[in-house]
Amino acid sequence: MSLTDTAVRNAKPSEKPVKMYDERGLFIIITPAGGKWWRFRYSFGDKEKLLSLGVYPDVSLKEAREKRDEARKLIAQGADPGAERKADKAAVAALTENCFEAVCRKWLADRKDTVEPSQHVKTLARMENDVFPWLGAKAMNEISSPDVLSVLRRIDERGARYTAHRVRSEISRAFRYAIANGKAERDPCPDLKGAIPAPKAEHFAAITTPKEVAGLLRAIDAFQGTFVVKSALLLAPLLFVRPGELRKAEWSGFDLDKAEWRYLVTKTKTEHLVPLAPQAVAILRDLHALTGARRYVFPGRDPQKAMSEAAINAALRRMGYDTKTEITGHGFRAMARTILHEELHIRPEVIEHQLAHAVPDALGTAYNRTKFLKERQTMMHQWADYLGKLKAGAAVVAITRAA
């Protein structure tokens, strides 16, 4: 006899599973826990098989019969409905694994240990806020250049042109990762070159005149903050390294007897050597008494972590400087680059090597940590002496190119 909806609805569980049969292989199992599961029994290739059709009441008797009839049509056409369903599930799974969001998150996870934690967090936030809502569910091979451009224009139109270019680069890197892993065939981003106008260059605020530098150095001397932060402020103009590299400096990289500091450049992951002037060595020896037993030269509130990335700029603001228009932690680099060349007449290539910038030479060598080393050692000593004279208010005579 055929089942009725009333009979299915009123069926009660017992100690063992109970089967209630409908027509043409359809039946329902009532479990001891009260669940009601639709099943379709059929034969294919001389084998008896079962196909799950869902759970009652989510799937009604009428819907279960429709699913049974669809399965019977497949059997009549020589197809196994169970195999068809597995193939469909596999296709859906493959599509899900190959969607932009899944691939992008895998790319971000794989490179997480090779980038700064803050960079990972910021890139993920850009993707979650500006990209995933529109491209996340699309399969990699279905995303076109116009799809990406639509995302970039949405960012650009809110006045974040630099972010639009940054996102374009990050989308492109996600595609290159997908191509390398067989999940995409091409990167649509190169087609968009020039589609979003280039952002206006944004320079870090910096003080670059000797008179203003003298005032800044005296303000640092008078700074009333923690000894660790003041030491970092004193060293920032002497070393002019990137702020992140200074605050994350580790004692293991310093040889104060040789007056050298070695570390990996964050941007290029290449080893860099900073010759230390006697003034810098003196500051570091003084600080070593406090933090020398720890990993970081400038530990933060948590001794196991480096000083906060906001500490230097916060200190500059406490000293009365506007970090947007006057000076930032990064501005010490521009200060040194400008004055070393214009006032001390140091050759640009020597300065650029000390800044750990790529400067290709005739042989194509982009950067060599020991190149111009003697000249850089002399330059760092002269720079420290020059700053000392500026701070003291002495007249400073430009040093000749022979230096």
Side-chain angles (χ1 to χ4, degrees):
M1 293 179 61
S2 300
L3 288 174
T4 64
D5 188 68
T6 301
V8 174
R9 184 172 61 251
N10 293 335
K12 304 297 182 184
S14 61
E15 293 181 359
K16 295 182 179 181
V18 175
K19 296 179 182 178
M20 297 174 62
Y21 291 90
D22 193 55
E23 301 172 331
R24 291 171 289 187
L26 177 66
F27 64 96
I28 192 168
I29 300 176
I30 296 88
T31 69
K36 299 177 181 180
W37 300 80
W38 292 110
R39 295 288 187 268
F40 170 54
R41 178 179 283 113
Y42 66 100
S43 295
F44 191 88
D46 296 329
K47 291 184 179 180
E48 188 174 270
K49 298 187 175 186
L50 286 176
L51 186 66
S52 175
L53 302 182
V55 181
Y56 181 90
D58 295 338
V59 176
S60 67
L61 173 60
K62 180 182 178 182
E63 290 169 333
R65 286 171 175 169
E66 290 172 352
K67 289 186 176 186
R68 174 202 59 195
D69 293 342
E70 289 172 3
R72 285 172 58 85
K73 287 180 181 178
L74 287 173
I75 295 169
Q77 295 168 4
D80 182 352
E84 290 283 323
R85 176 173 292 180
K86 289 180 180 178
D88 289 343
K89 286 183 177 180
V92 170
L95 184 62
T96 302
E97 292 175 1
N98 284 354
C99 72
F100 181 83
E101 181 171 348
V103 172
C104 189
R105 287 186 183 277
K106 185 68 167 61
W107 163 62
L108 290 171
D110 284 358
R111 72 164 199 162
K112 185 176 182 180
D113 293 337
T114 64
V115 300
E116 290 288 313
S118 60
Q119 182 181 345
H120 173 79
V121 170
K122 290 175 183 177
T123 302
L124 179 58
R126 282 191 288 269
M127 289 295 166
E128 290 179 338
N129 295 329
D130 295 321
V131 184
F132 290 163
W134 293 275
L135 298 183
K138 286 180 173 286
M140 297 297 289
N141 284 328
E142 292 179 357
I143 296 174
S144 64
S145 298
D147 291 331
V148 177
L149 182 58
S150 177
V151 167
L152 300 181
R153 281 179 172 162
R154 189 176 290 108
I155 299 170
D156 185 48
E157 287 169 0
R158 70 167 190 257
R161 180 158 293 172
Y162 176 81
T163 299
H165 281 270
R166 189 72 176 265
V167 167
R168 174 183 172 273
S169 174
E170 289 163 346
I171 291 175
S172 182
R173 277 179 277 173
F175 266 97
R176 293 200 297 273
Y177 174 86
I179 293 168
N181 287 277
K183 296 183 181 297
E185 295 176 0
R186 69 180 298 272
D187 175 8
C189 294
D191 298 339
L192 302 176
K193 187 176 181 179
I196 300 293
K200 293 181 179 179
E202 294 183 6
H203 300 287
F204 292 103
I207 289 173
T208 56
T209 65
K211 181 178 179 180
E212 291 177 314
V213 171
L216 172 61
L217 295 174
R218 286 192 282 270
I220 291 174
D221 255 11
F223 176 71
Q224 295 183 341
T226 68
F227 184 66
V228 169
V229 173
K230 183 169 183 176
S231 297
L233 282 170
L234 290 169
L235 286 167
L238 289 171
L239 306 182
F240 51 88
V241 296
R242 294 178 178 88
E245 291 161 348
L246 180 65
R247 74 180 183 85
K248 289 186 176 182
E250 299 183 16
W251 282 116
S252 61
F254 286 87
D255 188 329
L256 298 183
D257 293 329
K258 289 185 178 180
E260 291 180 350
W261 173 27
R262 295 171 184 262
Y263 67 89
L264 288 180
V265 178
T266 52
K267 283 193 173 183
T268 60
K269 303 303 179 185
T270 54
E271 187 175 303
H272 185 45
L273 190 155
V274 179
L276 302 173
Q279 295 89 327
V281 172
I283 295 168
L284 286 163
R285 287 195 186 282
D286 205 17
L287 183 59
H288 190 270
L290 178 64
T291 68
R294 300 173 184 172
R295 174 183 176 184
Y296 292 108
V297 177
F298 309 102
R301 293 182 179 178
D302 181 347
Q304 303 304 315
K305 296 181 180 179
M307 181 174 66
S308 164
E309 61 182 338
I312 293 295
N313 281 352
L316 289 169
R317 287 193 292 271
R318 283 181 60 188
M319 290 155 50
Y321 286 93
D322 187 327
T323 53
K324 290 186 177 180
T325 61
E326 292 182 289
I327 182 70
T328 69
H330 207 286
F332 290 108
R333 290 168 65 76
M335 172 198 296
R337 183 193 298 114
T338 302
I339 296 179
L340 281 168
H341 178 57
E342 294 183 359
E343 301 294 330
L344 276 63
H345 305 298
I346 305 296
R347 289 187 294 152
E349 57 267 37
V350 177
I351 302 170
E352 293 301 306
H353 264 77
Q354 192 53 56
L355 289 165
H357 286 168
V359 186
D361 59 19
L363 298 176
T365 304
Y367 172 73
N368 183 330
R369 72 177 184 276
T370 61
K371 192 165 186 180
F372 304 121
L373 182 55
K374 289 185 178 180
E375 291 160 279
R376 285 158 50 199
Q377 288 171 335
T378 301
M379 178 186 74
M380 297 300 277
H381 281 62
Q382 292 170 342
W383 175 240
D385 291 343
Y386 178 87
L387 293 179
K389 292 176 181 179
L390 276 184
K391 183 169 61 175
V396 178
V397 179
I399 299 174
T400 63
R401 184 181 296 272

